[in-house]
Amino acid sequence: MKAWSLLLLRASTGLYLIIWGVIKVAAKDKAIGVSNKYYDGVINGDLANYGLGILEIVVGICVVLGLFRKYSYPLQAVIYLVGLAAIAPYIIDPFGFYIASEQKVTFFPSTTLFFASLVTLAFKSDDTRVLEKS
């Protein structure tokens, strides 16, 4: 049961990375809008979005398949941590009472993605439904 649970956890977090990677590659206007609003425009260039999109797709595929886990699992956690840091005011104040400029309760599940990434790291040795040879 643990191995199947880890597989499903990996699949969901990895697929989410793939989805956002595809958005960065295929829907640049959407990605640039997100960058401008939540990352102060730091990654709003076409090349930056394209590169990050490809990286997210590759890492997401590796996570889903359980490949290069020594690198893909920590990279996934870092990607989610950076995303979480960018929306920290909405995580700390999801109702927009004190810190956040508006209510964004829908951002709160981003914590789950990050913590799920930590779980995949913590239980990597129990994660046996992978393509990578141990």
Side-chain angles (χ1 to χ4, degrees):
M1 181 70 167
K2 188 187 295 185
W4 284 104
S5 298
L6 289 168
L7 169 66
L8 294 171
L9 192 63
R10 247 187 23 243
S12 64
T13 59
L15 285 170
Y16 193 76
L17 268 184
I18 293 167
I19 290 167
W20 271 105
V22 168
I23 289 170
K24 284 185 174 92
V25 171
K28 293 179 203 159
D29 292 342
K30 172 85 170 160
I32 289 170
V34 169
S35 174
N36 286 337
K37 186 165 184 173
Y38 301 108
Y39 296 92
D40 293 325
V42 172
I43 51 172
N44 67 358
D46 287 345
L47 186 59
N49 271 303
Y50 188 77
L52 287 172
I54 294 297
L55 176 68
E56 287 178 359
I57 292 168
V58 169
V59 171
I61 290 169
C62 289
V63 168
V64 169
L65 298 177
L67 291 172
F68 309 108
R69 295 180 298 158
K70 180 179 179 181
Y71 305 104
S72 63
Y73 289 11
L75 273 172
Q76 175 181 249
V78 168
I79 291 167
Y80 285 136
L81 180 61
V82 169
L84 197 57
I87 58 170
Y90 302 101
I91 301 303
I92 296 166
D93 182 20
F95 296 109
F97 292 141
Y98 306 105
I99 300 169
S101 59
E102 58 186 311
Q103 179 178 336
K104 288 285 186 183
V105 177
T106 56
F107 282 6
F108 201 79
S110 296
T111 60
T112 306
L113 289 165
F114 174 63
F115 296 139
S117 298
L118 296 181
V119 169
T120 60
L121 280 166
F123 291 97
K124 187 169 73 168
S125 62
D126 297 318
D127 192 8
T128 56
R129 304 238 179 252
V130 296
L131 290 183
E132 180 179 82
K133 303 252 190 241
S134 296

